[in-house]
Every structure is written in structure tokens, then in C-alpha cells.
């Protein structure tokens, strides 16, 4: 499917622009879980990126409520109809093979450089990489832009010598609110961390355990992580958590518009250039876009693809 602009640049000196649209391959499935529908899609684009998209829709789980009564744990979405607050927490299992099975998990953090002669204005910052050595549960930290990457340290990029990797972009979410002694918390072992990393074992496929709804705990990813096994340059598995704290609104009734969540995996030093650089430039025959204003005072230029595949640009005649 068309995914909008893939890349674009306008040369501010000449006013010439180059633009290519992105195309995505979408592999989608839909499941109905009682009152809810979950639309699950793997989306592959031309820049070597993978996005896992979840759309939550369906109908709210409701109960009757007397007129004139309000409660702090739900929303009245229709006269006499109460929709309770609830959470949707998803766990995505990633069994990576970044140029081989011997992978590792690291995370980057950005930290301010101290003011100095080298950094006289105090605007510089550095990025520190930390290796995750043992199976464990970890969290995002947006104050330092903590970003997790799955690397293959044995394969290096030919341009800068860095390990080939894919980084994980996951949205923030409120961890499970249920009491730690509740069966909800004990069963959903994945719901208390953004990331879990464990060593691969056969038959450990489900982060909540094989029989989640019958579980008393101790059979999911939290328990696996407590083994503290080595996961450096080994066959590791990463579980990525994300979710919605759903405080219902009237607009969710009677059928809920899609609530969209995305986790994206982006290549880091995996390719030797932008892999989408060879996507043909798009043309107005397809775009059919309309210029509304030229506030930047630069002339617009339309690129034309010649018969030999070259792109030529012709500036329109001046209006002055």
C-alpha cells in the first residue's frame, strides 16, 4: 500500500526538489476476543524497516448503572450504561537473527556534555552504549532517550565498522496497575516491564505462560528472566511490551474507533546507505498534489523522468 512520503529534499539554493513515495507490504490478521477486535499487521517498507501495528476496536464491555450515579472507575457512555476503565497490554515476541543467531541486546542513552572549552555553549551531548549481559526485565527511560538495539557484534558495517543492528522503537505505556498479589499480575508476567530479554528455550513461546488464564504464576517471561542466563552473543529472545490504559469516552460507544499502537524496528548500521535511495521519484501523474502557497519565496520546480531514466527539472516562468 502507499505509505506517503518516503524521502524528500528541496535544494534551497535552486528550489529543486526530489521526492519518492514509500510503499509497504502489509501482512494482516484480525482476531475477535469476546467484545474486542484486534487488527494485527506486520508492515515492511522500502527503507528496511518493520512496523508491528495493533489496532484495537470492537465494542466496550458495559454494565447497567442507575441514573444520577457516578463512579471513579468507569465512564457513563450512554444513559444507564457504564464502561469500566481497563488496560490492554500487548507482548511481542522477537526471536532475532541479525546476520546470524549469535546476537546481543544493548541500549543507548544520551547524556549532556559538561560545559568546557570544547563545549563552550553547553549544547553538546554524547551517547553511551550499555551491554545487557544476563536475562532480565528492563524499562525505557525517555529522559535519556534510552533505545534498545539487537546487534551482531561479529558482523561489522563496511563504512563505519560498527556492529550491524536493529533498534526498537516502542511507545510508552503504564505498567499493569493490578496489585502484585492479584492473579492478574501473577499471570501476566510480561506486563511490568517494557522489555524482557531471555535465552532461547524450546516451548517458551508465550510471555504469559502456555495456559495464562489457568496459571497461578511462575510460568512466564518474568520467571524465565530470573534465571539470569548469559544472553551475550547467544540465541536470545526479546519480548517488547506496549499497551493502552483505556479510560472509555462517549465516542467509544456503541462501536469503538480504532486505537492504534505501533512498534517499529529500524536498521542501525545494517546497510551501507539509505536502502530506499533507488526508489524512483514520484511524479504529479501519481501525486496529484496542489501547491497552496510559496511563503518561502522560492520557485517550485517539477522533476520529469526522461526516456533514459534521468531526471530533469524545469523552473516555471516568473510571474513578475
Amino acid at each position: 500500500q502507499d505509505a506517503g512520503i518516503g524521502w524528500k529534499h528541496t535544494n534551497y539554493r535552486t528550489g529543486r526538489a526530489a521526492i519518492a513515495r514509500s510503499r509497504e507490504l502489509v501482512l494482516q490478521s484480525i482476531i475477535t476476543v469476546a467484545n474486542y477486535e484486534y487488527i494485527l499487521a506486520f508492515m515492511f517498507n522500502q527503507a528496511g524497516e518493520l512496523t508491528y501495528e495493533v489496532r484495537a476496536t470492537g465494542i466496550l464491555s458495559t454494565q447497567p448503572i442507575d441514573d444520577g450515579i457516578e463512579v471513579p472507575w468507569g465512564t457513563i457512555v450512554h444513559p444507564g450504561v457504564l464502561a469500566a476503565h481497563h488496560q490492554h497490554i500487548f507482548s511481542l515476541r522477537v526471536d532475532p537473527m541479525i546476520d546470524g543467531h549469535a546476537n546481543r541486546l544493548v541500549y543507548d542513552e544520551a547524556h549532556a556534555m559538561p560545559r568546557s572549552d570544547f563545549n563552550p555553549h553547553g549544547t553538546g551531548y554524547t551517547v553511551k552504549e550499555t551491554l545487557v549481559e544476563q536475562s532480565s526485565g528492563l524499562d525505557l527511560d525517555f529522559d535519556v532517550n534510552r533505545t534498545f538495539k539487537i546487534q551482531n557484534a561479529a558482523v561489522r558495517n563496511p563504512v563505519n565498522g560498527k556492529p550491524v543492528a536493529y533498534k526498537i522503537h516502542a511507545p510508552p505505556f503504564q505498567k499493569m496497575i493490578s496489585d502484585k498479589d492479584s492473579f492478574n499480575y501473577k499471570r501476566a508476567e510480561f506486563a511490568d516491564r517494557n522489555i524482557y530479554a531471555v535465552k532461547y528455550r524450546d516451548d517458551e513461546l508465550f510471555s504469559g505462560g502456555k495456559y495464562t488464564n489457568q496459571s497461578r504464576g511462575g510460568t512466564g517471561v518474568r520467571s524465565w528472566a530470573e534465571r539470569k542466563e548469559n544472553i551475550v552473543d547467544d540465541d536470545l529472545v526479546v519480548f517488547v511490551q506496549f499497551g493502552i490504559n483505556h479510560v472509555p469516552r462517549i465516542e467509544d460507544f456503541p462501536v469503538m474507533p480504532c486505537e492504534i499502537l505501533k512498534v517499529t524496528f529500524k536498521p542501525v548500521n545494517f546497510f551501507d546507505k539509505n536502502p530506499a535511495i533507488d526508489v524512483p521519484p514520484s511524479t504529479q501523474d501519481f501525486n496529484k498534489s496542489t501547491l497552496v502557497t510559496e511563503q518561502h519565496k522560492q520557485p517550485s520546480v517539477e522533476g520529469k523522468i526522461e526516456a533514459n531514466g534521468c531526471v530533469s527539472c524545469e523552473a516555471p516562468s516568473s510571474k513578475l
Side-chain angles (χ1 to χ4, degrees):
Q1 67 182 19
D2 180 75
I5 294 175
W7 56 259
K8 178 190 180 297
H9 180 63
T10 299
N11 186 325
Y12 71 90
R13 299 175 182 85
T14 65
R16 294 181 177 181
I19 181 171
R21 299 190 69 83
S22 178
R23 301 286 289 175
E24 291 178 331
L25 170 65
V26 181
L27 305 179
Q28 178 176 284
S29 61
I30 303 175
I31 60 173
T32 300
V33 184
N35 55 299
Y36 263 103
E37 262 78 23
Y38 296 111
I39 303 166
L40 313 172
F42 290 94
M43 309 168 77
F44 303 84
N45 71 17
Q46 294 161 303
E49 300 168 350
L50 163 63
T51 295
Y52 185 68
E53 180 187 89
V54 174
R55 294 178 180 236
T57 182
I59 62 174
L60 295 166
S61 179
T62 60
Q63 63 193 68
I65 187 170
D66 292 336
D67 290 341
I69 295 178
E70 291 189 8
V71 296
W73 59 81
T75 302
I76 295 173
V77 294
H78 189 75
V81 179
L82 177 72
H85 303 163
H86 57 281
Q87 291 180 282
H88 304 254
I89 301 177
F90 304 93
S91 182
L92 176 62
R93 181 179 183 269
V94 182
D95 187 358
M97 191 174 71
I98 309 296
D99 268 0
H101 287 288
N103 292 166
R104 57 173 59 184
L105 182 69
V106 302
Y107 59 85
D108 288 342
E109 292 182 346
H111 297 279
M113 295 168 58
R115 188 182 289 268
S116 64
D117 291 340
F118 184 73
N119 182 32
H121 303 292
T123 57
Y125 68 91
T126 60
V127 175
K128 178 184 177 183
E129 184 178 278
T130 301
L131 175 65
V132 180
E133 298 185 14
Q134 294 182 324
S135 57
S136 55
L138 305 119
D139 285 320
L140 299 171
D141 185 348
F142 292 94
D143 288 336
V144 292
N145 193 47
R146 183 177 295 164
T147 304
F148 289 87
K149 298 185 297 187
I150 303 172
Q151 289 182 342
N152 187 334
V155 181
R156 300 283 169 157
N157 186 280
V159 177
N160 60 15
K162 299 287 187 180
V164 295
Y166 264 73
K167 66 179 178 178
I168 304 168
H169 281 189
F173 77 99
Q174 186 174 13
K175 310 301 191 301
M176 177 168 275
I177 303 173
S178 299
D179 185 272
K180 291 188 177 181
D181 290 328
S182 68
F183 274 116
N184 298 54
Y185 183 87
K186 291 178 180 179
R187 289 169 173 168
E189 294 199 15
F190 54 87
D192 62 340
R193 294 285 190 177
N194 292 105
I195 300 286
Y196 270 104
V198 298
K199 188 171 182 177
Y200 175 88
R201 288 196 183 187
D202 289 342
D203 207 33
E204 290 185 346
L205 302 177
F206 309 108
S207 57
K210 186 179 292 186
Y211 305 109
T212 306
N213 290 340
Q214 288 76 43
S215 170
R216 294 181 177 272
T219 61
V221 70
R222 187 190 305 132
S223 301
W224 307 337
E226 290 172 355
R227 296 192 293 246
K228 298 301 178 185
E229 295 176 303
N230 172 67
I231 56 171
V232 178
D233 301 333
D234 210 326
D235 192 0
L236 80 156
V237 178
V238 177
F239 292 85
V240 183
Q241 282 63 245
F242 54 103
I244 309 166
N245 189 339
H246 191 179
V247 178
R249 57 199 177 111
I250 289 177
E251 291 80 3
D252 291 332
F253 186 83
V255 179
M256 176 183 161
C258 283
E259 188 83 18
I260 302 173
L261 293 168
K262 294 184 179 183
V263 176
T264 301
F265 300 85
K266 293 176 173 282
V268 179
N269 304 315
F270 192 87
F271 299 98
D272 59 4
K273 58 180 174 294
N274 177 359
I277 198 68
D278 61 350
V279 175
S282 61
T283 67
Q284 277 294 80
D285 291 338
F286 179 83
N287 296 341
K288 301 186 186 304
S289 55
T290 301
L291 179 64
V292 177
T293 180
E294 281 191 354
Q295 292 181 350
H296 49 68
K297 304 301 182 185
Q298 294 173 346
S300 61
V301 179
E302 181 177 335
K304 296 183 178 179
I305 303 177
E306 306 293 349
N308 60 3
C310 295
V311 178
S312 63
C313 296
E314 295 181 0
S317 59
S318 173
K319 298 177 182 179
L320 300 179

